[in-house]
Amino acid sequence: MKITLLLHNAYAVGATLRGTLALAAALADHHDVELVSMLRHREVPRCAVDPRVRLVPLVDTRVGSDDMAHPLFGEPAADVPIADRHHHQYSLLTDLRAAEFLRGCDADVVIGTRSGVNVYLARFGPRQALRIAQEPLRYDTHSGLLRAELARPYRALDALVATTEAEAARWRAGLLLPGVRVLAVPAVVPAPDADTDADADADADGRTRIIVAAGRLVPGERFDLLLAAFSAVCAKDPDWRLRIHGEGPERARLRNLIDGLGLAGRAELAGPRTPDGAEFAGASIAASASDTEASGPALVEAMRRGVPVVGTGRPPGPTELIQGGGGGLLVPCDDGRALAGALLDLVGDPEHRRAMGAAARESARRHGPEPLAERYRVLVEELRATRRSRSVRRALGLARSRARTLPRRAGRA
């Protein structure tokens, strides 16, 4: 097959981008793969692109480029939903180039990787190709306005892929998408480098006393709850340390909370997290008190290094990740006492940490590029086999929806 993946900016950096590049490389083992980047802001990508994968940029945003001088470059995009948080980075030139590329695309399968790009795919994707849209963010992360803007174009898709079963269920319930296969495929998390993997063996063996958390310093991540729980750990074993990696508007408040809890020198705001999760290589435990994590990519990065996880258990958080094969402990959201208790269970039992770290490493393998490339191969076969029946369901579903709305419109008239 020829498979095209549509990206926002392949020249940027981030865990989601790394996962997409790893998936592209795994697909290239058996298929003709190209990456299409809506934007290009530098000469060479920051993350390595497999040499078997073609990279096609559409709009060059580097200072002095011909695209910067194009009259459409300064005009806001009309096709990308205005409620999309990246709308300001797009332009009418992006609309034009995306439409031109997709209308002339000869791929068998086209995969979009975020909402704005998915709309391009739905509106302009070649009719002969299977159109698959990934939604890496939580359903609730999108505003009501954005979900409303996505509803109509998403009906033209063949499949919509969320990162967890709970999120897939939310998309099914939230949008009328007859004939669209809505399913869960975990986010791709590439394997760590061999040297950090070896470090993780030592960490899981209990020879370090470090708990690591990572995420945006925002209220929904509940680092305040984690710090309170960690203070209970320190009361029983003051040799342990907590490192929180990330940046955000809560930094000053969390710094004050660390001082107020008497955790100076024991809890640290350690700065930005790395795109490859290298901060977990020096950890014995990974912790998350987040209310907002969808697929837990940071936790997968920890688990791939053999680091056991303590996380909150409200779907769509790390529940599916941990219950899928062990490797962690789940506690209720907003329950600082339960969070402290779970941390203390692992802090006080090196053998338990070692066994749970091994289970974590094994559980996280299903997030590797190769098994998930196989998941997409199976999905493509299923979509091909059901294409005609899904087309019929789409037509009938939309007809029933229109029939239900006509009486209401007549009543208002």
Side-chain angles (χ1 to χ4, degrees):
M1 293 184 294
K2 180 176 181 181
I3 302 174
T4 297
L5 293 99
L6 308 177
L7 289 78
H8 168 65
N9 189 347
Y11 297 80
V13 68
T16 301
L17 175 59
R18 287 184 67 250
T20 301
L21 296 179
L23 175 62
L27 290 169
D29 288 341
H30 304 286
H31 306 290
D32 178 13
V33 180
E34 69 179 355
L35 295 169
V36 177
S37 180
M38 299 296 122
L39 305 177
R40 175 185 189 173
H41 72 289
R42 65 196 315 269
E43 180 67 25
V44 179
R46 292 181 184 274
C47 300
V49 178
D50 190 293
R52 299 170 299 172
V53 176
R54 293 186 303 281
L55 176 56
V56 181
L58 296 187
V59 175
D60 191 342
T61 64
R62 289 176 291 174
V63 175
S65 70
D66 291 341
D67 287 345
M68 291 279 283
H70 195 287
L72 295 181
F73 184 83
E75 299 294 326
D79 293 313
V80 174
I82 196 167
D84 188 291
R85 65 191 181 97
H86 292 286
H87 180 271
H88 66 285
Q89 298 182 33
Y90 288 79
S91 65
L92 284 181
L93 182 59
T94 324
D95 289 353
L96 175 66
R97 296 276 173 79
E100 287 177 343
F101 175 85
L102 286 167
R103 284 169 176 156
C105 179
D106 62 350
D108 301 292
V109 181
V110 185
I111 302 174
T113 58
R114 69 186 323 147
S115 298
V117 173
N118 293 339
V119 172
Y120 284 143
L121 171 60
R123 288 180 173 163
F124 308 119
R127 294 182 65 85
Q128 83 282 356
L130 292 173
R131 291 177 277 190
I132 301 172
Q134 296 176 348
E135 272 290 353
L137 300 180
R138 291 174 63 235
Y139 177 82
D140 289 343
T141 301
H142 296 321
S143 67
L145 177 58
L146 178 56
R147 293 197 295 267
E149 289 185 281
L150 295 176
R152 183 178 295 274
Y154 271 22
R155 293 170 189 166
L157 298 170
D158 290 286
L160 177 63
V161 177
T163 54
T164 67
E165 295 292 346
E167 280 302 299
R170 290 188 178 199
W171 282 101
R172 290 189 206 103
L175 296 186
L176 177 66
L177 300 174
V180 180
R181 175 87 160 87
V182 182
L183 72 156
V185 177
V188 175
V189 178
D193 296 334
D195 57 340
T196 57
D197 207 31
D199 290 343
D201 287 335
D203 298 335
D205 207 31
R207 284 177 281 175
T208 64
R209 294 173 177 264
I210 299 171
I211 301 169
V212 171
R216 285 266 299 154
L217 304 185
V218 294
E221 294 290 344
R222 294 310 311 273
F223 288 122
D224 56 340
L225 191 73
L226 178 59
L227 285 166
F230 179 68
S231 67
V233 172
C234 286
K236 292 200 173 183
D237 193 334
D239 291 334
W240 279 79
R241 299 291 181 266
L242 171 65
R243 293 177 184 164
I244 298 174
H245 289 263
E247 293 291 352
E250 289 276 286
R251 184 177 184 86
R253 189 176 80 87
L254 293 174
R255 178 71 264 169
N256 291 336
L257 183 58
I258 289 172
D259 294 337
L261 291 171
L263 297 176
R266 296 175 180 172
E268 174 189 4
L269 299 179
R273 59 166 300 195
T274 62
D276 60 354
E279 58 269 18
F280 292 106
S284 286
I285 301 169
S288 172
S290 174
D291 289 338
T292 61
E293 191 72 67
S295 59
L299 298 184
V300 179
E301 289 159 355
M303 294 170 73
R304 294 212 70 168
R305 289 172 167 80
V307 180
V309 167
V310 174
T312 50
R314 177 189 296 160
T319 305
E320 293 176 24
L321 173 64
I322 293 174
Q323 289 180 341
L329 299 174
L330 286 170
V331 300
C333 282
D334 304 320
D335 191 335
R337 181 174 296 181
L339 182 60
L343 290 172
L344 285 167
D345 283 347
L346 292 182
V347 162
D349 192 342
E351 292 297 323
H352 192 193
R353 289 204 306 276
R354 183 185 302 113
M356 192 165 282
R361 191 192 307 276
E362 189 60 34
S363 178
R365 290 187 194 280
R366 69 182 187 273
H367 285 261
E370 291 77 16
L372 293 180
E374 175 62 15
R375 291 279 294 272
Y376 276 98
R377 185 193 66 78
V378 172
L379 173 60
V380 167
E381 289 185 356
E382 176 191 324
L383 294 176
R384 281 176 168 168
T386 61
R387 195 165 199 172
R388 180 170 297 179
S389 62
R390 287 185 297 100
S391 179
V392 171
R393 288 201 302 274
R394 178 182 291 113
L396 292 175
L398 295 178
R400 284 194 293 266
S401 175
R402 285 192 292 268
R404 286 193 297 267
T405 59
L406 284 176
R408 291 197 296 270
R409 290 177 180 173
R412 288 195 296 269

